[in-house]
Amino acid sequence: DLVTISPKTVNTLLEWLQASNALDKPSEPIFISLDPVYFGNRLTGESIRKIVGKYCMSAGIEKRMSPHRIRH
């Protein structure tokens, strides 16, 4: 499946890939955990859901949010 993303998102992702040297390590995860216990490990779907929920709450969004719901 293809997902359309904005040019701004593309540029931001490209900047991240360059800054993190991820282009030189194609088999490594692009986004990693910063938690001291799991530092450097690939983010799980659950950890991404928690991050989204945290930032939505801090933005004042009271509805339960998920990465999928944000796409809508």
Side-chain angles (χ1 to χ4, degrees):
D1 293 340
L2 295 177
V3 176
T4 303
I5 56 177
S6 71
K8 185 175 180 178
T9 301
V10 170
N11 289 334
T12 301
L13 286 171
L14 287 173
E15 287 176 14
W16 171 252
L17 291 172
Q18 291 169 346
S20 67
N21 294 320
L23 294 172
D24 299 332
K25 303 174 270 181
S27 62
E28 298 293 318
I30 295 172
F31 302 107
I32 60 169
S33 174
L34 300 179
D35 183 301
V37 176
Y38 302 105
F39 187 85
N41 291 325
R42 184 180 314 273
L43 288 176
T44 65
E46 178 63 13
S47 61
I48 293 169
R49 187 195 64 75
K50 286 180 180 180
I51 292 168
V52 167
K54 173 184 165 184
Y55 282 101
C56 287
M57 284 185 65
S58 68
I61 300 170
E62 295 179 10
K63 187 175 187 177
R64 186 172 175 191
M65 297 300 287
S66 69
H68 181 74
R69 185 170 278 168
I70 288 176
R71 289 183 57 204
H72 296 283

